[in-house]
Amino acid sequence: MPAVYRLLKQITYGTLYLVLAALLISGMVTLIRRALVVPPPPPAIALPSPLRIEQVAAVRHGKTVDLVARLRNPNSTLGIRSVTGTFRMLADNGTELATHNETTYLLPGMIQYLIALDIPNTGAFTKVELTLNEPTTAAVPATLTLPSFATFLRERKQFKSGDRSIEEQTGILRNTSSLDWERIEISGVALDERDTIIGVSKTFLGALKGGSQLEFTLQWPAPNRPTSRVIIWPTTNI
């Protein structure tokens, strides 16, 4: 009889061990499955006011053309995570000769320049239009501190690079907020005395700590008429 009791005891302990092991494995599998599930992105919020296309221009440089559009997000509490603009190069009769897509972002209430550089020049186009796809939006708390910058233009000069004439604008960018930003994008447009865009450029800077400053340089093919002023527009995607 003692042997029978020992056997029953062993069977009972063995069964409990298997049950506990099964529960442990089941719990681990559940945790792993939960960890592997990627949460869906937050739903996009419809824009109360649509994005505004304030200006579209093309600057020809022989075999290439630079395209630029000035966009504005009039919504003060909604940011644009991503929006794709399609530049359409058209003939006189409206025939579409070529297209080019560029993607950008816009902070609440902010302006952004959508720029495409060195696009093949079809030669026959006489105007450029821009269409925007449905943007991906994100709600931004009213208490969030948005980026703020100050720019100071320095020397503007022209020089030869091989057989090309280049115009160069240097300057200083200061982060006027107390926050650090990881990556800064700077857009620049050169205007003549009639405020026609005659040069376009963009560059990227590294991290910029709150209250600090960095030097920047923008270049574009030298225009065939004098540059009256240059607009600099720094942004960062938060």
Side-chain angles (χ1 to χ4, degrees):
M1 293 296 291
V4 173
Y5 289 143
R6 282 196 300 272
L7 180 59
L8 290 174
K9 189 175 181 181
Q10 290 173 353
I11 292 173
T12 301
Y13 285 158
T15 302
L16 289 173
Y17 174 80
L18 291 175
V19 170
L20 290 174
L23 290 173
L24 180 61
I25 293 172
S26 176
M28 291 177 65
V29 170
T30 300
L31 290 175
I32 292 173
R33 284 179 176 174
R34 289 178 179 175
L36 292 176
V37 173
V38 177
I45 303 171
L47 287 174
S49 299
L51 297 179
R52 298 174 187 167
I53 303 174
E54 297 186 337
Q55 187 178 18
V56 182
V59 184
R60 300 175 191 257
H61 308 293
K63 295 181 180 180
T64 64
V65 59
D66 296 335
L67 306 173
V68 57
R70 178 182 167 108
L71 308 179
R72 183 185 296 271
N73 179 8
N75 303 281
S76 59
T77 58
L78 282 179
I80 307 300
R81 280 200 187 97
S82 175
V83 62
T84 298
T86 300
F87 290 98
R88 302 172 61 238
M89 289 169 270
L90 307 174
D92 273 334
N93 60 3
T95 301
E96 183 177 277
L97 302 175
T99 63
H100 181 80
N101 293 336
E102 285 288 333
T103 300
T104 190
Y105 60 89
L106 288 97
L107 300 180
M110 294 291 185
I111 291 170
Q112 181 71 293
Y113 281 93
L114 185 65
I115 293 175
L117 301 177
D118 296 326
I119 306 303
N121 187 359
T122 66
F125 78 92
T126 57
K127 62 179 179 178
V128 178
E129 294 181 353
L130 181 74
T131 57
L132 300 175
N133 74 343
E134 190 66 26
T136 303
T137 60
V140 177
T143 56
L144 183 67
T145 301
L146 295 177
S148 60
F149 302 101
T151 56
F152 307 93
L153 297 183
R154 303 179 72 180
E155 182 184 16
R156 184 167 70 246
K157 64 181 180 180
Q158 292 189 4
F159 61 91
K160 282 283 190 178
S161 177
D163 59 350
R164 301 181 67 190
S165 294
I166 302 296
E167 188 165 70
E168 178 180 274
Q169 175 71 66
T170 59
I172 296 175
L173 175 70
R174 175 180 288 275
N175 180 359
T176 56
S177 75
S178 59
L179 301 178
D180 302 340
W181 307 116
E182 293 182 358
R183 189 170 186 260
I184 311 296
E185 176 182 348
I186 298 181
S187 302
V189 292
L191 307 173
D192 66 8
E193 60 181 5
R194 297 183 179 180
D195 278 351
T196 301
I197 295 177
I198 55 176
V200 184
S201 184
K202 63 180 177 181
T203 190
F204 297 91
L205 302 179
L208 186 58
K209 294 185 177 181
S212 63
Q213 63 186 35
L214 288 173
E215 294 185 356
F216 65 86
T217 300
L218 292 172
Q219 296 180 345
W220 52 85
N224 56 15
R225 51 190 186 274
T227 297
S228 176
R229 62 191 180 100
V230 175
I231 296 176
I232 304 297
W233 194 258
T235 59
T236 186
N237 192 355
I238 60 174

Short mmCIF file of all heavy atoms in Angstrom, two decimals, residues 131-169:
data_model
loop_
_atom_site.label_atom_id
_atom_site.label_comp_id
_atom_site.label_asym_id
_atom_site.label_seq_id
_atom_site.Cartn_x
_atom_site.Cartn_y
_atom_site.Cartn_z
N THR A 131 -1.34 69.89 -57.48
CA THR A 131 -2.49 69.28 -56.82
C THR A 131 -1.97 68.53 -55.59
O THR A 131 -0.87 67.97 -55.60
CB THR A 131 -3.22 68.30 -57.74
OG1 THR A 131 -2.30 67.29 -58.21
CG2 THR A 131 -3.81 69.02 -58.94
N LEU A 132 -2.77 68.54 -54.53
CA LEU A 132 -2.40 67.89 -53.27
C LEU A 132 -3.28 66.68 -53.02
O LEU A 132 -4.50 66.74 -53.25
CB LEU A 132 -2.53 68.87 -52.10
CG LEU A 132 -1.66 70.14 -52.16
CD1 LEU A 132 -1.98 71.05 -51.00
CD2 LEU A 132 -0.18 69.78 -52.17
N ASN A 133 -2.68 65.60 -52.54
CA ASN A 133 -3.49 64.45 -52.17
C ASN A 133 -4.09 64.67 -50.79
O ASN A 133 -3.87 65.70 -50.15
CB ASN A 133 -2.66 63.16 -52.21
CG ASN A 133 -1.70 63.06 -51.04
OD1 ASN A 133 -1.40 64.04 -50.36
ND2 ASN A 133 -1.20 61.86 -50.80
N GLU A 134 -4.86 63.70 -50.30
CA GLU A 134 -5.46 63.82 -48.97
C GLU A 134 -4.36 63.73 -47.91
O GLU A 134 -3.64 62.74 -47.83
CB GLU A 134 -6.48 62.70 -48.75
CG GLU A 134 -7.33 62.85 -47.51
CD GLU A 134 -8.26 64.06 -47.58
OE1 GLU A 134 -8.62 64.47 -48.69
OE2 GLU A 134 -8.62 64.58 -46.51
N PRO A 135 -4.18 64.77 -47.10
CA PRO A 135 -3.08 64.75 -46.13
C PRO A 135 -3.37 63.84 -44.94
O PRO A 135 -4.52 63.59 -44.60
CB PRO A 135 -3.00 66.22 -45.69
CG PRO A 135 -4.38 66.75 -45.87
CD PRO A 135 -4.95 66.03 -47.07
N THR A 136 -2.29 63.37 -44.33
CA THR A 136 -2.38 62.65 -43.07
C THR A 136 -2.21 63.66 -41.94
O THR A 136 -1.19 64.36 -41.89
CB THR A 136 -1.30 61.57 -42.96
OG1 THR A 136 -1.42 60.68 -44.07
CG2 THR A 136 -1.43 60.79 -41.67
N THR A 137 -3.20 63.75 -41.06
CA THR A 137 -3.21 64.81 -40.06
C THR A 137 -2.91 64.27 -38.66
O THR A 137 -2.92 63.06 -38.42
CB THR A 137 -4.58 65.51 -40.04
OG1 THR A 137 -5.59 64.54 -39.71
CG2 THR A 137 -4.89 66.12 -41.39
N ALA A 138 -2.65 65.18 -37.75
CA ALA A 138 -2.41 64.83 -36.35
C ALA A 138 -2.84 65.99 -35.48
O ALA A 138 -2.48 67.15 -35.76
CB ALA A 138 -0.95 64.49 -36.11
N ALA A 139 -3.60 65.69 -34.45
CA ALA A 139 -4.00 66.74 -33.50
C ALA A 139 -2.80 67.18 -32.68
O ALA A 139 -1.99 66.35 -32.25
CB ALA A 139 -5.10 66.22 -32.59
N VAL A 140 -2.67 68.47 -32.48
CA VAL A 140 -1.54 69.03 -31.73
C VAL A 140 -2.10 69.81 -30.55
O VAL A 140 -2.90 70.72 -30.73
CB VAL A 140 -0.69 69.96 -32.62
CG1 VAL A 140 0.42 70.60 -31.81
CG2 VAL A 140 -0.12 69.19 -33.79
N PRO A 141 -1.71 69.46 -29.32
CA PRO A 141 -2.22 70.19 -28.15
C PRO A 141 -1.87 71.67 -28.22
O PRO A 141 -0.80 72.05 -28.69
CB PRO A 141 -1.50 69.51 -26.97
CG PRO A 141 -1.04 68.19 -27.49
CD PRO A 141 -0.78 68.38 -28.95
N ALA A 142 -2.80 72.47 -27.75
CA ALA A 142 -2.57 73.92 -27.78
C ALA A 142 -1.39 74.33 -26.90
O ALA A 142 -0.80 75.39 -27.10
CB ALA A 142 -3.84 74.65 -27.34
N THR A 143 -1.05 73.48 -25.93
CA THR A 143 0.05 73.80 -25.01
C THR A 143 1.42 73.42 -25.57
O THR A 143 2.45 73.74 -24.96
CB THR A 143 -0.15 73.05 -23.68
OG1 THR A 143 -0.27 71.64 -23.94
CG2 THR A 143 -1.41 73.54 -22.98
N LEU A 144 1.45 72.74 -26.73
CA LEU A 144 2.72 72.31 -27.30
C LEU A 144 3.51 73.51 -27.83
O LEU A 144 2.96 74.37 -28.52
CB LEU A 144 2.47 71.32 -28.44
CG LEU A 144 3.73 70.73 -29.08
CD1 LEU A 144 4.47 69.84 -28.11
CD2 LEU A 144 3.36 69.95 -30.34
N THR A 145 4.78 73.54 -27.50
CA THR A 145 5.66 74.61 -27.99
C THR A 145 6.12 74.29 -29.39
O THR A 145 6.79 73.28 -29.62
CB THR A 145 6.87 74.79 -27.06
OG1 THR A 145 6.43 75.11 -25.75
CG2 THR A 145 7.78 75.90 -27.59
N LEU A 146 5.77 75.13 -30.35
CA LEU A 146 6.18 74.93 -31.73
C LEU A 146 7.57 75.53 -31.96
O LEU A 146 7.98 76.44 -31.24
CB LEU A 146 5.16 75.57 -32.67
CG LEU A 146 3.76 74.94 -32.67
CD1 LEU A 146 2.83 75.72 -33.59
CD2 LEU A 146 3.82 73.47 -33.08
N PRO A 147 8.27 75.05 -32.97
CA PRO A 147 9.60 75.59 -33.25
C PRO A 147 9.54 77.07 -33.61
O PRO A 147 8.58 77.54 -34.24
CB PRO A 147 10.07 74.76 -34.46
CG PRO A 147 9.25 73.52 -34.41
CD PRO A 147 7.93 73.91 -33.84
N SER A 148 10.56 77.79 -33.21
CA SER A 148 10.68 79.21 -33.58
C SER A 148 12.14 79.51 -33.87
O SER A 148 13.03 79.07 -33.13
CB SER A 148 10.14 80.12 -32.48
OG SER A 148 10.84 79.93 -31.27
N PHE A 149 12.37 80.24 -34.97
CA PHE A 149 13.72 80.51 -35.41
C PHE A 149 13.87 81.98 -35.81
O PHE A 149 12.88 82.66 -36.09
CB PHE A 149 14.08 79.64 -36.64
CG PHE A 149 13.95 78.17 -36.41
CD1 PHE A 149 12.84 77.48 -36.86
CD2 PHE A 149 14.94 77.47 -35.75
CE1 PHE A 149 12.71 76.12 -36.66
CE2 PHE A 149 14.83 76.11 -35.53
CZ PHE A 149 13.71 75.43 -35.99
N ALA A 150 15.09 82.42 -35.83
CA ALA A 150 15.43 83.73 -36.38
C ALA A 150 16.57 83.52 -37.37
O ALA A 150 17.50 82.75 -37.10
CB ALA A 150 15.86 84.69 -35.28
N THR A 151 16.48 84.16 -38.53
CA THR A 151 17.52 84.04 -39.55
C THR A 151 18.18 85.39 -39.81
O THR A 151 17.50 86.43 -39.78
CB THR A 151 16.95 83.49 -40.87
OG1 THR A 151 15.88 84.32 -41.30
CG2 THR A 151 16.44 82.07 -40.69
N PHE A 152 19.46 85.35 -40.03
CA PHE A 152 20.24 86.56 -40.32
C PHE A 152 21.05 86.29 -41.58
O PHE A 152 21.91 85.41 -41.61
CB PHE A 152 21.17 86.89 -39.15
CG PHE A 152 20.47 86.98 -37.82
CD1 PHE A 152 20.37 85.86 -36.99
CD2 PHE A 152 19.87 88.16 -37.41
CE1 PHE A 152 19.71 85.93 -35.77
CE2 PHE A 152 19.21 88.24 -36.20
CZ PHE A 152 19.13 87.12 -35.38
N LEU A 153 20.75 87.06 -42.65
CA LEU A 153 21.46 86.88 -43.91
C LEU A 153 22.81 87.57 -43.87
O LEU A 153 22.94 88.68 -43.34
CB LEU A 153 20.62 87.41 -45.06
CG LEU A 153 19.28 86.70 -45.30
CD1 LEU A 153 18.58 87.27 -46.51
CD2 LEU A 153 19.49 85.20 -45.46
N ARG A 154 23.78 86.91 -44.44
CA ARG A 154 25.12 87.49 -44.51
C ARG A 154 25.47 87.77 -45.98
O ARG A 154 24.70 88.40 -46.69
CB ARG A 154 26.12 86.55 -43.84
CG ARG A 154 25.75 86.23 -42.38
CD ARG A 154 26.70 85.28 -41.73
NE ARG A 154 28.00 85.89 -41.44
CZ ARG A 154 29.00 85.26 -40.86
NH1 ARG A 154 28.87 83.99 -40.49
NH2 ARG A 154 30.15 85.87 -40.62
N GLU A 155 26.56 87.26 -46.45
CA GLU A 155 27.03 87.60 -47.79
C GLU A 155 26.26 86.84 -48.87
O GLU A 155 25.92 85.66 -48.69
CB GLU A 155 28.52 87.26 -47.91
CG GLU A 155 29.12 87.62 -49.26
CD GLU A 155 30.57 87.19 -49.37
OE1 GLU A 155 31.02 86.37 -48.54
OE2 GLU A 155 31.26 87.67 -50.29
N ARG A 156 25.97 87.52 -49.97
CA ARG A 156 25.44 86.88 -51.17
C ARG A 156 26.40 87.19 -52.31
O ARG A 156 26.74 88.35 -52.55
CB ARG A 156 24.03 87.37 -51.50
CG ARG A 156 23.43 86.64 -52.70
CD ARG A 156 21.94 86.89 -52.86
NE ARG A 156 21.63 88.24 -53.28
CZ ARG A 156 20.98 89.13 -52.55
NH1 ARG A 156 20.59 88.81 -51.33
NH2 ARG A 156 20.72 90.34 -53.01
N LYS A 157 26.83 86.15 -53.03
CA LYS A 157 27.83 86.36 -54.07
C LYS A 157 27.60 85.37 -55.20
O LYS A 157 26.85 84.39 -55.06
CB LYS A 157 29.24 86.17 -53.51
CG LYS A 157 29.54 84.75 -53.02
CD LYS A 157 30.94 84.62 -52.46
CE LYS A 157 31.22 83.20 -51.98
NZ LYS A 157 32.58 83.05 -51.42
N GLN A 158 28.25 85.63 -56.34
CA GLN A 158 28.23 84.73 -57.47
C GLN A 158 29.66 84.29 -57.79
O GLN A 158 30.61 85.04 -57.59
CB GLN A 158 27.61 85.41 -58.70
CG GLN A 158 26.12 85.69 -58.55
CD GLN A 158 25.48 86.15 -59.84
OE1 GLN A 158 26.11 86.19 -60.90
NE2 GLN A 158 24.19 86.48 -59.79
N PHE A 159 29.77 83.04 -58.28
CA PHE A 159 31.09 82.52 -58.64
C PHE A 159 30.91 81.44 -59.70
O PHE A 159 29.80 80.95 -59.94
CB PHE A 159 31.82 81.96 -57.41
CG PHE A 159 31.10 80.82 -56.74
CD1 PHE A 159 31.35 79.51 -57.11
CD2 PHE A 159 30.15 81.06 -55.75
CE1 PHE A 159 30.68 78.45 -56.50
CE2 PHE A 159 29.48 80.01 -55.13
CZ PHE A 159 29.75 78.71 -55.51
N LYS A 160 32.00 81.07 -60.34
CA LYS A 160 32.00 80.04 -61.36
C LYS A 160 32.33 78.69 -60.75
O LYS A 160 33.23 78.55 -59.92
CB LYS A 160 33.05 80.37 -62.44
CG LYS A 160 32.61 81.43 -63.44
CD LYS A 160 31.62 80.83 -64.45
CE LYS A 160 31.35 81.80 -65.60
NZ LYS A 160 30.43 81.20 -66.60
N SER A 161 31.59 77.67 -61.19
CA SER A 161 31.87 76.29 -60.82
C SER A 161 31.89 75.48 -62.11
O SER A 161 30.85 75.10 -62.63
CB SER A 161 30.82 75.75 -59.85
OG SER A 161 31.07 74.39 -59.54
N GLY A 162 33.08 75.27 -62.66
CA GLY A 162 33.18 74.67 -63.98
C GLY A 162 32.65 75.65 -65.01
O GLY A 162 33.09 76.80 -65.09
N ASP A 163 31.66 75.19 -65.80
CA ASP A 163 31.07 76.08 -66.79
C ASP A 163 29.76 76.69 -66.31
O ASP A 163 29.00 77.26 -67.10
CB ASP A 163 30.83 75.31 -68.10
CG ASP A 163 29.91 74.12 -67.92
OD1 ASP A 163 29.62 73.77 -66.75
OD2 ASP A 163 29.49 73.53 -68.93
N ARG A 164 29.46 76.56 -65.01
CA ARG A 164 28.21 77.07 -64.45
C ARG A 164 28.47 78.27 -63.55
O ARG A 164 29.48 78.32 -62.83
CB ARG A 164 27.48 75.99 -63.65
CG ARG A 164 27.14 74.73 -64.43
CD ARG A 164 26.40 73.75 -63.56
NE ARG A 164 25.09 74.24 -63.18
CZ ARG A 164 24.31 73.66 -62.24
NH1 ARG A 164 24.75 72.59 -61.60
NH2 ARG A 164 23.14 74.16 -61.97
N SER A 165 27.56 79.22 -63.59
CA SER A 165 27.60 80.36 -62.66
C SER A 165 26.65 80.07 -61.50
O SER A 165 25.48 79.71 -61.73
CB SER A 165 27.19 81.65 -63.37
OG SER A 165 28.13 81.99 -64.35
N ILE A 166 27.13 80.22 -60.30
CA ILE A 166 26.37 79.89 -59.10
C ILE A 166 26.17 81.14 -58.26
O ILE A 166 27.09 81.96 -58.12
CB ILE A 166 27.09 78.81 -58.25
CG1 ILE A 166 27.33 77.55 -59.09
CG2 ILE A 166 26.30 78.49 -56.99
CD1 ILE A 166 26.08 76.85 -59.54
N GLU A 167 24.98 81.29 -57.69
CA GLU A 167 24.74 82.33 -56.70
C GLU A 167 24.64 81.66 -55.34
O GLU A 167 23.97 80.63 -55.19
CB GLU A 167 23.46 83.11 -57.02
CG GLU A 167 23.27 84.32 -56.12
CD GLU A 167 22.22 85.28 -56.66
OE1 GLU A 167 21.02 84.92 -56.64
OE2 GLU A 167 22.60 86.38 -57.11
N GLU A 168 25.29 82.26 -54.35
CA GLU A 168 25.37 81.66 -53.02
C GLU A 168 24.93 82.66 -51.96
O GLU A 168 25.34 83.82 -51.98
CB GLU A 168 26.80 81.20 -52.75
CG GLU A 168 27.02 80.59 -51.38
CD GLU A 168 28.46 80.16 -51.18
OE1 GLU A 168 28.79 79.03 -51.59
OE2 GLU A 168 29.25 80.98 -50.65
N GLN A 169 24.09 82.20 -51.05
CA GLN A 169 23.65 83.01 -49.92
C GLN A 169 24.04 82.32 -48.63
O GLN A 169 23.73 81.15 -48.41
CB GLN A 169 22.13 83.19 -49.96
CG GLN A 169 21.54 83.93 -48.76
CD GLN A 169 21.89 85.41 -48.78
OE1 GLN A 169 21.47 86.15 -49.65
NE2 GLN A 169 22.68 85.85 -47.80
#
